[in-house]
């Protein structure tokens, strides 16, 4: 600990802390612009200058480490004057005529800083050059005229997101934020995560979707969870008049620390499907709106004869539904109706094999955090460039620090340039590959424990012929992995869809062999698909859906999409019930439609891919005639004279989870 004095106040701060952070911890405010608590210090704007006794010039507190006995003053007349001068320079450099700016009036940190420093005017002639406005991006606009070159966006894109799209071209006053080699943003390598917009302090990066819809102070903020995938990022839903204006990443989020991907930030506000606002029953071939009581009675009449018969009704639910609804769904159809075909739309593809493996071996997977400090990530059959993007950010950001990313995938990805090894293996050759890699490691004596493997050479031969990868590449891959200090193996649907427990066993062995998994580290993780895929699997809703003469099919789709191929599979069902939010190919065929709440209109529990239990909050009041997913299931039970006593937390304990739950 280091002792320092700020504005006469004695402060203890850990070594390596900056003066700015020490002051903030002690409740002392220092104005800042380029600083952001999730970004590495840059020291560009100089607004955070402070006076340090015995030092000749004012220092930027955001880059100044504390040292013992330091005496700091943050509000001397000299400092205040300098800050005004710094702000004057910033205001004069480009077009900062606030009244004409989208973020003016509270949402601009530059303007706010000026008010705080009690500026009423600035004496420097403003610059009149017109800089480029880039409007090519689908989700935001970059207006270089409002840019103060704080580089928060550049640092966010590289240090947090690991996408390295943004940089600064030219030098000094000519400096300009550019994408890639100065191409339009819309044509750049940008993956549309929007993190740069979230950190921009001025009106230089403006969100298209929420622009000119009022200031942040007019919006209500609700903390919730993204259910776009199984990462489970924490979000702030900003809303007004019962409408989502914008979604932001929650900086306090335990999983994502403020980051979101395109699917979390933009997809929900760009929803274009047509909502269903009343129950409907097919009459003379056409769906007609009816009241809830009529819908429930017709449904109960239809389902009564099917109760107790194993092949009476088949039921399938979306893994986007909250735990409470999934558990009630299971209880209603599997226990009360005693149906044998009760599962989820994912049919356990991303989860079943890992849960099956866990049933025998106990929890074997680690937590996402292990990715942050990985020096090698072997990603096999998982595409974090497309799915679970925020999980990908956690390690791609370490590319400048020399992380090795090994991608094993039969398909070409547009982000292969970020990987250090890309093995384009033949589909389904993973078992031979995993055995071959282990054989090479053992043969070269690179394993954590010395082992003897009698058939090493033949395993290596088999790997070469099965994968189509050369011995040199395989050896390089094996060596890279085995020589790492903190390797992590990440796998996804490319592996789990093969439904082969041996694959999981070999992944686990490889992980132990290279030290990815030992007593302290759990560097083996599977990505799981949708928001509640893990819960669905723990509830046993993870089997293949194959109709066997069932008289009715109940689809609890919620706000999920239903593919055409799935509809083809159920088209023969004599009676189809849809519990859903939107008009779709499902409702086109349904005989009865029950309109339900979507993700933002209901409260519910989710367990993400690394076992973290999270609660999503209700943000929006649903349309009048729309009911909660859980309520609908309970109502059906009531009309059938059944009672649901679901305790989902207890229900999921019947199976062992592949990852410890917390
Ligand atoms: N943007 C976006 N994100 C999503 C989804 C989405 O639709 N869009 N869907 C969500 C859902 S429901 C799921 S289940 C997850 C899926 O997320 P992931 O588990 O990451 O699955 P995919 O994105 O399909 O990537 C699987 C990769 O495995 C590769 N692969 C195919 N066959 C083989 C093989 O035999 N061996 C190996 N080694 N690789 C193979 C494929 O080429 C593909 O690149 O993503 C979730 N996240
Ligand atoms: N054999 C086999 N079966 C599987 C799987 C497998 O890998 N192999 N995977 C399982 C898994 S993990 C899942 S999640 C399920 C579901 O997987 P699929 O049945 O493949 O369904 P999805 O691809 O999720 O999406 C359904 C349809 O909705 C539309 N759609 C999806 N997202 C959007 C969107 O954002 N905008 C628009 N306009 N349309 C969209 C697409 O047209 C898509 O055809 O299948 C499961 N079943
Ligand atoms: S949206 Fe994301 S990927 Fe695109 S430039 Fe901004 S931070 Fe980089
Ligand atoms: S665009 Fe915004 S975040 Fe990026 S340098 Fe300019 S002012 Fe800073
Ligand atoms: S990574 Fe998944 S949970 Fe996170 S923002 Fe994207 S879709 Fe949502
Ligand atoms: S906040 Fe310290 S220099 Fe910008
Ligand atoms: Mo999925």
């Amino acid at each position: 600990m280091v002792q320092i004095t700020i504005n006469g106040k004695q402060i203890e701060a850990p070594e390596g802390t900056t003066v700015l952070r020490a002051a903030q911890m002690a409740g002392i405010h220092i104005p800042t612009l380029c600083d952001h608590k999730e970004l590495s210090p840059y020291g560009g704007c100089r607004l955070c200058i402070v006076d340090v006794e015995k030092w000749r010039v004012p220092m930027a507190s955001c880059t100044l480490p504390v040292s013992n006995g330091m005496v700091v003053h943050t509000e001397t007349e000299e400092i205040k004057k300098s800050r005004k001068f710094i702000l004057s320079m910033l205001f004069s450099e480009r077009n900062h005529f606030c009244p004409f700016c989208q973020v003016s009036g509270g949402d601009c940190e530059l303007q706010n800083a000026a008010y705080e420093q009690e500026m009423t005017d600035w004496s420097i002639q403003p610059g009149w050059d017109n800089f480029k406005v880039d409007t090519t991006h689908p989700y935001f606009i970059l207006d270089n005229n409002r840019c103060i070159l704080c580089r928060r966006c550049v640092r966010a894109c590289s240090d947090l997101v690991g996408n390295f799209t943004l940089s600064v071209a030219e030098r000094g006053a000519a400096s300009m934020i550019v994408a890639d080699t100065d191409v339009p943003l819309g044509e750049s390598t940008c993956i549309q995560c929007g993190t740069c917009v979230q950190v921009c302090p001025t009106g230089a990066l403006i969100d298209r979707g929420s622009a000119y819809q009022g200031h942040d102070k007019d919006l209500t903020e609700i903390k919730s969870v993204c259910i776009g995938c199984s990462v489970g990022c924490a979000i702030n839903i900003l809303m007004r008049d019962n409408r989502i204006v914008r979604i932001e990443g929650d900086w306090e989020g335990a999983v994502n620390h403020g980051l979101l991907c395109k699917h979390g930030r933009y997809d929900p506000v760009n929803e274009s499907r047509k909502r269903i606002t009343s129950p409907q029953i097919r009459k003379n071939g056409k769906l007609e709106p009816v009241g809830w009581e009529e819908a429930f009675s017709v449904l109960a009449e239809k389902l009564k004869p099917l109760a107790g018969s194993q092949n009476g009704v088949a039921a399938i639910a979306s893994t986007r539904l909250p735990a409470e609804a999934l558990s009630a769904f299971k209880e209603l159809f599997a226990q009360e109706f005693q149906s044998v075909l009760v599962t989820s739309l994912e049919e356990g593809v991303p989860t079943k094999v890992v849960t099956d493996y866990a049933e025998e071996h106990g929890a074997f997977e680690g937590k996402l955090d292990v990715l942050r400090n990985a020096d090698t990530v072997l990603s096999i059959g998982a595409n974090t460039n497309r799915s679970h993007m925020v999980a990908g950010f956690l390690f791609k950001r370490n590319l400048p620090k020399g992380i090795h990313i090994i991608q094993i995938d039969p398909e070409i990805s547009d982000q292969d340039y970020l990987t250090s090894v890309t093995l384009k293996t033949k589909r389904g050759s993973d078992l031979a590959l995993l055995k071959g890699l282990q054989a090479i490691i053992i043969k070269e004596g690179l394993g954590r424990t010395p082992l003897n493997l009698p058939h090493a050479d033949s395993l290596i031969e088999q790997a070469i012929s099965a994968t189509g990868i050369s011995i040199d590449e395989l050896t390089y891959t094996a060596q890279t992995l085995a020589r790492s200090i903190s390797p992590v193996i990440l796998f996804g649907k490319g592996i789990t869809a093969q439904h082969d427990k041996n694959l999981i066993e070999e992944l686990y062995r490889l992980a132990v062999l290279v030290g990815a998994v030992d007593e302290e580290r759990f560097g083996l993780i599977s990505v799981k698909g949708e928001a509640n895929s893990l819960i669905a699997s723990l509830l046993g809703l993870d089997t293949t859906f194959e109709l066997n003469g069932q008289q009715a099919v109940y689809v609890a789709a919620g706000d999920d999409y239903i593919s055409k191929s799935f509809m083809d599979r159920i088209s023969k069902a004599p009676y189809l019930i849809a519990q859903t939010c939107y008009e779709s190919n499902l409702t086109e065929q349904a005989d009865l439609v029950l309109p339900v709440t979507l993700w933002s209109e209901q409260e519910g529990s989710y367990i993400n891919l690394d076992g973290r239990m999270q609660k999503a909050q209700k943000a929006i009041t649903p349309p009048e005639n729309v009911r909660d997913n859980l309520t609908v299931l309970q109502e059906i039970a009531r009309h059938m004279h059944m009672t649901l006593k679901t305790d989902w937390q207890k229900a999921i304990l019947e199976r062992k989870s592949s990852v410890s739950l917390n």
Side-chain angles (χ1 to χ4, degrees):
M1 283 302 219
V2 170
Q3 305 285 338
I4 73 166
T5 310
I6 305 180
N7 298 349
K9 192 171 175 181
Q10 299 268 357
I11 292 165
E12 252 201 355
E15 209 152 329
T17 315
T18 61
V19 170
L20 175 64
R21 293 284 177 265
Q24 286 169 340
M25 282 186 260
I28 296 168
H29 171 72
I30 300 176
T32 57
L33 274 175
C34 68
D35 176 69
H36 190 284
K37 78 177 173 71
E38 290 295 328
L39 299 171
S40 48
Y42 165 60
C45 73
R46 319 308 288 180
L47 192 66
C48 68
I49 49 166
V50 293
D51 184 64
V52 185
E53 277 185 19
K54 302 202 187 87
W55 290 40
R56 226 167 17 91
V57 288
M59 299 295 293
S61 61
C62 69
T63 46
L64 180 68
V66 290
S67 64
N68 235 343
M70 212 177 216
V71 181
V72 176
H73 302 279
T74 70
E75 294 293 318
T76 66
E77 284 313 308
E78 218 28 55
I79 288 289
K80 284 201 250 181
K81 221 171 107 194
S82 300
R83 278 196 193 125
K84 274 192 194 171
F85 179 70
I86 288 161
L87 283 169
S88 298
M89 301 279 279
L90 283 174
F91 271 97
S92 311
E93 202 126 5
R94 297 192 180 185
N95 178 343
H96 293 291
F97 291 93
C98 298
F100 311 109
C101 182
Q102 200 276 137
V103 293
S104 173
D107 295 348
C108 175
E109 293 181 37
L110 177 65
Q111 191 188 47
N112 293 350
Y115 282 132
E116 190 186 291
Q117 298 305 314
E118 296 169 341
M119 277 176 70
T120 49
D121 63 300
W122 71 95
S123 52
I124 307 164
Q125 175 70 36
W128 285 105
D129 281 344
N130 257 329
F131 297 108
K132 208 161 46 182
V133 181
D134 186 340
T135 59
T136 59
H137 197 282
Y139 299 121
F140 53 83
I141 290 165
L142 168 60
D143 182 350
N144 280 291
N145 296 287
R146 311 283 198 207
C147 175
I148 56 167
L149 297 168
C150 69
R151 292 179 196 234
R152 277 195 197 175
C153 56
V154 178
R155 284 176 285 155
C157 188
S158 47
D159 304 359
L160 298 182
V161 180
N163 211 55
F164 312 96
T165 300
L166 299 177
S167 62
V168 183
E170 308 295 343
R171 305 208 155 255
S175 299
M176 210 62 63
I177 299 298
V178 297
D180 300 329
T181 50
D182 200 2
V183 300
L185 266 163
E187 293 162 27
S188 71
T189 53
C190 169
I191 48 166
Q192 309 177 339
C193 72
T195 310
C196 52
V197 183
Q198 188 170 317
V199 298
C200 180
T202 69
L205 282 163
I206 317 167
D207 181 55
R208 277 177 185 272
S210 62
Y212 307 103
Q213 293 192 44
H215 296 117
D216 286 1
K217 64 173 169 11
D218 305 319
L219 306 176
T220 310
E221 185 183 293
I222 303 228
K223 283 185 184 290
S224 195
V225 186
C226 173
I227 63 158
C229 81
S230 61
V231 174
C233 297
I235 56 173
N236 290 330
I237 305 177
L238 300 170
M239 30 180 290
R240 187 175 190 174
D241 306 330
N242 201 37
R243 189 172 56 84
I244 298 178
V245 172
R246 186 168 73 239
I247 294 173
E248 292 193 341
D250 183 351
W251 296 110
E252 311 304 324
V255 179
N256 56 319
H257 295 271
L259 301 180
L260 293 180
C261 77
K262 160 186 186 291
H263 305 291
R265 195 185 300 273
Y266 298 118
D267 283 2
V269 263
N270 291 303
E271 182 58 69
S272 59
R273 288 175 285 180
K274 193 157 180 282
R275 194 70 191 268
I276 301 164
T277 51
S278 159
Q280 297 174 340
I281 291 180
R282 196 168 294 279
K283 293 175 179 167
N284 304 320
K286 209 171 154 279
L287 282 176
E288 305 276 358
V290 294
W292 276 100
E293 272 316 305
E294 184 180 343
F296 283 132
S297 341
V298 169
L299 182 63
E301 278 316 303
K302 197 79 205 174
L303 293 185
K304 254 175 211 152
L306 305 179
S309 145
Q310 292 202 339
N311 287 327
V313 52
I316 189 159
S318 165
T319 39
R320 276 171 67 92
L321 291 181
E324 293 80 355
L326 279 176
S327 179
F329 169 84
K330 182 200 165 175
E331 195 183 344
L332 176 62
F333 292 106
Q335 271 121 271
E336 296 296 324
F337 276 93
Q338 290 175 28
S339 165
V340 287
L341 194 49
V342 183
T343 185
S344 76
L345 285 161
E346 285 189 310
E347 302 177 85
V349 174
T351 47
K352 186 174 191 323
V353 70
V354 292
T355 304
D356 287 351
Y357 187 74
E359 294 263 57
E360 290 164 23
H361 299 258
F364 64 95
E365 288 189 52
K367 302 285 177 181
L368 277 171
D369 260 344
V370 77
L371 286 168
R372 291 171 193 276
N373 305 313
D375 59 352
T376 295
V377 172
L378 177 118
S379 160
I380 179 164
N383 184 353
T384 47
N385 302 321
R386 182 188 83 96
S387 328
H388 314 100
M389 291 171 101
V390 170
F393 300 169
L394 301 182
F395 61 90
K396 281 188 226 159
R397 59 165 74 149
N398 289 333
L399 277 163
K401 291 185 192 154
I403 185 177
H404 296 283
I405 301 176
I406 304 169
Q407 181 77 26
I408 300 176
D409 199 306
E411 299 293 327
I412 293 170
S413 144
D414 56 351
Q415 294 218 346
D416 282 347
Y417 69 92
L418 291 177
T419 58
S420 29
V421 183
T422 317
L423 300 185
K424 294 286 164 225
T425 49
K426 286 185 197 148
R427 211 170 278 274
S429 65
D430 302 282
L431 197 62
L433 171 81
L434 293 170
K435 287 183 176 172
L437 288 176
Q438 292 177 70
I440 295 171
I441 292 166
I442 291 168
K443 210 177 147 193
E444 299 215 351
L446 293 171
R448 291 295 154 117
T449 43
L451 278 173
N452 193 12
L453 194 68
H455 308 297
D457 286 323
S458 91
L459 290 174
I460 297 168
E461 280 307 317
Q462 281 166 30
I464 297 168
S465 69
T467 57
I469 305 289
S470 72
I471 179 68
D472 290 349
E473 271 190 282
L474 289 180
T475 306
Y476 180 73
T477 306
Q479 288 172 342
T480 305
L481 192 61
R483 288 180 179 149
S484 317
I485 294 164
S486 45
V488 175
I489 297 175
L490 187 70
F491 64 102
K493 215 162 105 167
I495 291 291
T496 54
Q498 298 180 46
H499 291 293
D500 181 359
K501 250 193 285 175
N502 292 324
L503 272 171
I504 312 302
E505 173 73 26
E506 293 304 329
L507 278 167
Y508 184 74
R509 283 188 193 193
L510 178 63
V512 172
L513 187 64
V514 300
V517 168
D518 58 26
E519 287 83 39
E520 279 141 42
R521 272 182 92 245
F522 289 91
L524 180 62
I525 298 174
S526 75
V527 290
K528 309 249 173 4
E530 300 213 69
N532 258 343
S533 300
L534 181 60
I535 283 190
S537 190
L538 294 177
L539 289 170
L541 301 171
D542 61 356
T543 52
T544 310
F545 188 77
E546 210 171 316
L547 287 183
N548 182 22
Q550 276 85 355
Q551 290 305 298
V553 174
Y554 191 100
V555 185
D559 49 16
D560 214 345
Y561 287 91
I562 303 291
S563 66
K564 190 182 167 299
S565 60
F566 178 76
M567 288 315 300
D568 291 344
R569 285 163 64 193
I570 59 169
S571 59
K572 280 197 215 83
Y575 198 75
L576 178 62
I577 306 124
Q579 172 180 332
T580 185
C581 304
Y582 300 108
E583 284 182 13
S584 66
N585 42 11
L586 172 65
T587 55
E588 246 167 54
Q589 290 188 27
D591 299 290
L592 191 124
V593 179
L594 305 171
V596 280
T597 45
L598 47 91
W599 70 279
S600 54
E601 298 167 348
Q602 67 203 0
E603 205 179 82
S605 304
Y606 292 85
I607 293 186
N608 81 336
L609 69 86
D610 71 357
R612 187 181 290 275
M613 209 274 270
Q614 307 192 101
K615 257 229 142 89
Q617 299 304 327
K618 176 176 168 173
I620 302 286
T621 307
E624 198 187 336
N625 237 345
V626 160
R627 297 209 180 162
D628 187 84
N629 278 285
L630 175 61
T631 312
V632 167
L633 294 163
Q634 288 166 333
E635 282 293 306
I636 293 172
R638 197 170 65 83
H639 282 81
M640 296 287 303
H641 306 292
M642 299 166 172
T643 36
L644 302 183
K645 44 191 178 310
T646 324
D647 177 352
W648 72 269
Q649 275 157 314
K650 222 166 102 194
I652 61 167
L653 295 178
E654 278 171 33
R655 298 186 79 189
K656 278 193 191 138
S657 167
S658 57
V659 59
S660 67
L661 305 178
N662 60 326

